[in-house]
Amino acid sequence: MVEKKIKNSKNIKKQQGIDINKLTTYFLTMILCAGFIFNGYFFERQILSVNIVVLAFLFYLVIVNGKNERYFYYNPWTIFLCSLFIIINFLGLCGAADLRAALDNFLLLASGVIIYLIVTQLETDSHKSLDYLKIMLKGIYWVSVFIAFVGLVSYIFGVNLLNSYQSDNRLISTLGYANTAALLFAMVFFIGFYLLDNYNDKDRIYCFTNSLVFLAFLGTKSRGVFLLFLFLIVLYFLLIKKENRPSFLKNFIYVFVPSLLVFPLFYNGTFISRDTKGIFLSSIAVLFLVMVAYLKKKVTFNTKKLLITGGIGLVIIFSFVFISVGHESVINAIADNDIIQRLKTINLEQQQVQERFIFVEDALKIVKDNLLLGTGGGGWKAEYRQYQTFLYHTSEVHNYYVQVLVENGILGFITYISFWVILILNYFKKLKKERSFE
């Protein structure tokens, strides 16, 4: 009888075989995280190899699932629009302004669609989908924390580790572009809160690491993403479950408020002019965040207690700093902070803002001459000099939707917008369905 049970259990394990969805999750996580570390998989020297690898893995999944009589889950409209967008980009190669850049862009989009097809496979095992999501989110989160940490250490000591900083004193992490880094850190900031609320009780660690991510986010000095961040806070709060909202507010305050208080102290001076005083001030700011994370478990969440604890901590830290380096040095470090000065320039009268309106006007002239299929990827960079109103140099329109319109024409733009509309509608349908079962 015992032998029969053992044989049956072995047969079950044999039938189950490899957990293909878990393998898929680890594969996708490694591909995405490798891209974050090695300057993003969207760069020319990596995109072709990534395409080959993800396409090979897709074929592997199709073969394995076919043998096991398992099938992919697809949303027909999403697949149709993705495929149509790829076809439009392929046709755009015929009249591309820069064939090499357009081909790179085509390969990037193809890679994105293949990765999407692989991700949909996780939906076929819904009872484990949250476990798969946990694996992927944790991988992305901790790699991004590492990237943020490298950028902050680079700033503190004035040593450009992994090319984290660029010449105008902006943190670009390993992604090669400050605005892209800002979007990554903003996304990861909320992933940290999601993991904290749903999976992990080590909230001191997440409190500190999210503070580091937020400091790195500020170091990108991306004004557009800063404004987007405020919208994302409200959106995230509305989308999470009602029972998780108090916890989110508690964790958000413990991360956001201390980080916002000490960032002028951390980002004192510039990346290229670090000295002993600057290193000392930045280190003190980090130690304050460590102290806040340590006290998180010690102090029961209460507005009055939080304010008292934070106030006492600030008095101790700043008293020590004032005695060590002098009050004038601290005041100057805060008053002359580069991020604060940059934030002051967020207004419609500022010259750079006015220039970006002109970029859009010039971009629409290009669209008029390439209405249906656009100029292909990299078309703006290749064409804008022929249409510019005055002499300027920029490789981007600085308006993503207008850039899609330039590079993919009216057909590609409508397809792209429709894809996101369908995706958002599907998400809200799924959210409504999940809440109806609660």
Side-chain angles (χ1 to χ4, degrees), residues 286-332:
V286 174
L287 287 174
F288 176 74
L289 296 179
V290 172
M291 184 192 74
V292 171
Y294 174 76
L295 290 174
K296 190 172 187 295
K297 278 284 187 182
K298 300 292 182 181
V299 181
T300 305
F301 180 68
N302 177 287
T303 304
K304 186 176 179 181
K305 287 184 178 180
L306 179 62
L307 290 173
I308 292 172
T309 305
I312 292 172
L314 279 175
V315 169
I316 294 171
I317 292 290
F318 277 90
S319 297
F320 179 66
V321 171
F322 272 64
I323 293 169
S324 302
V325 299
H327 68 282
E328 289 185 1
S329 296
V330 178
I331 292 170
N332 290 336

Side-chain angles (χ1 to χ4, degrees), residues 29 42 47 55 68 88 98 103 114 125 188 268 290-291 298 346 367 369 374 387 398 417:
T29 304
F42 42 80
I47 186 61
L55 188 60
N68 295 337
I88 290 169
D98 183 341
L103 184 59
I114 295 168
D125 202 354
V188 167
N268 63 88
V290 172
M291 184 192 74
K298 300 292 182 181
I346 300 180
V367 172
D369 291 343
Y387 293 87
H398 291 284
I417 295 299

Side-chain angles (χ1 to χ4, degrees), residues 114-286:
I114 295 168
I115 289 174
Y116 171 78
L117 291 174
I118 296 173
V119 169
T120 58
Q121 173 63 15
L122 303 179
E123 294 288 336
T124 62
D125 202 354
S126 58
H127 71 285
K128 288 186 177 180
S129 60
L130 287 178
D131 292 333
Y132 303 142
L133 180 65
K134 177 182 178 181
I135 293 169
M136 187 175 292
L137 290 181
K138 280 200 167 187
I140 292 172
Y141 181 77
W142 287 110
V143 166
S144 301
V145 168
F146 168 75
I147 291 170
F149 177 75
V150 168
L152 296 176
V153 170
S154 294
Y155 179 81
I156 291 174
F157 297 103
V159 180
N160 200 354
L161 303 172
L162 299 179
N163 296 317
S164 297
Y165 267 82
Q166 60 188 32
S167 57
D168 60 351
N169 202 39
R170 296 178 70 184
L171 193 155
I172 59 176
S173 80
T174 54
L175 297 174
Y177 190 47
N179 292 337
T180 307
L183 285 170
L184 172 66
F185 292 140
M187 175 189 75
V188 167
F189 187 73
F190 292 102
I191 288 177
F193 287 124
Y194 178 82
L195 292 171
L196 186 56
D197 287 338
N198 292 276
Y199 294 115
N200 208 308
D201 59 355
K202 297 177 181 177
D203 50 355
R204 288 181 183 176
I205 295 174
Y206 279 95
C207 177
F208 179 62
T209 53
N210 251 18
S211 298
L212 293 182
V213 169
F214 186 68
L215 271 184
F217 170 69
L218 292 173
T220 63
K221 303 175 189 174
S222 178
R223 292 167 295 190
V225 185
F226 287 172
L227 294 174
L228 175 65
F229 182 75
L230 299 175
F231 169 75
L232 291 176
I233 294 170
V234 177
L235 183 64
Y236 183 88
F237 180 79
L238 293 175
L239 290 179
I240 59 176
K241 296 177 181 179
K242 289 182 179 179
E243 58 267 28
N244 287 342
R245 289 175 184 174
S247 174
F248 166 70
L249 286 176
K250 168 189 172 181
N251 293 321
F252 181 79
I253 290 171
Y254 265 106
V255 170
F256 185 76
V257 174
S259 301
L260 210 57
L261 287 172
V262 300
F263 91 84
L265 196 64
F266 181 88
Y267 287 107
N268 63 88
T270 64
F271 168 70
I272 58 175
S273 62
R274 303 301 287 157
D275 54 18
T276 305
K277 181 187 71 177
I279 293 172
F280 176 75
L281 292 175
S282 297
S283 301
I284 288 296
V286 174

